[in-house]
Amino acid sequence: MVEDWDDFLIPYKQAVDELKVKLRGIRAQFLKIDGRSPIEFVTGRVKPVDSIKEKMVRRHISEDRLEEDMEDIAGLRIMCQFVEDIYQVVDLLRKRTDINILEERDYVHNKKPSGYRSYHIIFEYPVQMLSGEKVILAEIQVRTLAMNFWATVEHSLNYKYQGVFPDDLKARLQRSAEAAFKLDEEMSEIRDELQETNQKSSDGSLRKLPDENSHIQ
């Protein structure tokens, strides 16, 4: 039984703080080396006690099984510019030795019925406490900025209306999710075309001839 929630949540808060520093460090290294990072920004949170208790009731989780059965008490989100960046970040996480990945859920190309898209990673993370090492469960969600915008608004509406939406509004939310994903795809295509154009230009195969009527003002 949880006698003191503040004490119980200490290792989860420590894990979130540590991982935010590490992931932001990865972004800084990419920026220094390539001038661009697949990680746009990182956020993290520890689930509020009221939310933990609500989920325990909803998922039928007993207090004595809380550490083993609730995977997202500590949660982080990694935002990316492009869909391709999501999978690059996932590959980076797979190679890390400080986390032990237990499960991956690809909701990017296997969207939920609501239209929700994201990539979820459930993992074990060791936290160094005064009493010794404590391994906790945590979750990382990797998504694009467009996916995050839709998910944030949808979550807010779900909370306000307790998930009870008329069918026409459900359909509109699903269409808006698809619109957000189409935007991601379009931006990826634009980036690829720009990269191709720049490559041709650097190879000398695509050169802009000077305009004989142009002049400097």
Side-chain angles (χ1 to χ4, degrees), residues 10-11 14 127-134:
I10 285 175
Q14 183 171 324
V127 178
Q128 302 303 319
M129 306 289 290
L130 289 176
S131 57
E133 182 176 277
K134 182 177 181 62

Side-chain angles (χ1 to χ4, degrees), residues 63-77:
E63 279 195 21
D64 59 336
R65 290 286 307 173
L66 187 55
E67 293 179 320
E68 293 81 11
D69 293 347
M70 194 171 294
E71 304 160 339
D72 63 343
I73 295 176
L76 294 104
R77 286 179 187 159

Side-chain angles (χ1 to χ4, degrees), residues 3 7 12-13 51 60-61 71 76 80 90 120-121 123 127 139 141 155 164 166 171-172 183 201 205 217:
E3 296 179 358
D7 286 346
Y12 295 94
K13 292 177 180 177
S51 296
H60 305 290
I61 299 173
E71 304 160 339
L76 294 104
C80 307
V90 170
H120 292 197
I121 293 176
F123 62 97
V127 178
E139 179 186 62
Q141 299 176 356
H155 178 78
V164 181
R172 290 172 66 182
L183 175 62
S201 179
S205 56
Q217 296 181 344

Side-chain angles (χ1 to χ4, degrees), residues 87-145:
Y87 293 97
Q88 184 177 358
V89 170
V90 170
D91 284 339
L92 289 170
L93 294 174
R94 288 172 180 156
K95 295 174 183 176
R96 295 191 66 88
T97 59
D98 57 345
I99 66 175
N100 178 34
I101 294 178
L102 301 177
E103 186 177 353
E104 298 182 27
R105 302 166 186 165
D106 186 351
Y107 298 122
V108 176
H109 290 107
N110 301 283
K111 63 182 179 181
K112 290 188 175 182
S114 64
Y116 173 89
R117 293 180 191 266
S118 187
Y119 200 105
H120 292 197
I121 293 176
I122 309 300
F123 62 97
E124 292 177 329
Y125 181 76
V127 178
Q128 302 303 319
M129 306 289 290
L130 289 176
S131 57
E133 182 176 277
K134 182 177 181 62
V135 178
I136 66 161
L137 286 179
E139 179 186 62
I140 292 178
Q141 299 176 356
V142 192
R143 56 177 67 157
T144 64
L145 298 169

Side-chain angles (χ1 to χ4, degrees), residues 21 65 126 151 158 179 212:
V21 170
R65 290 286 307 173
N158 245 315
E212 61 182 5

Side-chain angles (χ1 to χ4, degrees), residues 104-216:
E104 298 182 27
R105 302 166 186 165
D106 186 351
Y107 298 122
V108 176
H109 290 107
N110 301 283
K111 63 182 179 181
K112 290 188 175 182
S114 64
Y116 173 89
R117 293 180 191 266
S118 187
Y119 200 105
H120 292 197
I121 293 176
I122 309 300
F123 62 97
E124 292 177 329
Y125 181 76
V127 178
Q128 302 303 319
M129 306 289 290
L130 289 176
S131 57
E133 182 176 277
K134 182 177 181 62
V135 178
I136 66 161
L137 286 179
E139 179 186 62
I140 292 178
Q141 299 176 356
V142 192
R143 56 177 67 157
T144 64
L145 298 169
M147 292 174 192
N148 188 61
F149 171 73
W150 183 91
T152 301
V153 174
E154 193 269 348
H155 178 78
S156 177
L157 292 173
N158 245 315
Y159 181 81
K160 183 175 182 179
Y161 296 100
Q162 298 181 335
V164 181
F165 296 125
D167 289 342
D168 62 327
L169 292 183
K170 284 183 181 179
R172 290 172 66 182
L173 280 170
Q174 290 169 342
R175 288 196 298 270
S176 66
E178 282 306 301
F181 191 61
K182 291 294 183 184
L183 175 62
D184 278 332
E185 292 181 321
E186 182 70 15
M187 296 306 290
S188 290
E189 290 177 7
I190 290 171
R191 180 192 63 172
D192 292 343
E193 289 178 14
L194 286 172
Q195 288 177 339
E196 183 178 349
T197 299
N198 289 337
Q199 182 63 39
K200 288 180 179 179
S201 179
S202 64
D203 290 344
S205 56
L206 179 62
R207 295 180 180 176
K208 182 178 180 180
L209 297 177
D211 185 350
E212 61 182 5
N213 295 319
S214 65
H215 59 280
I216 300 176

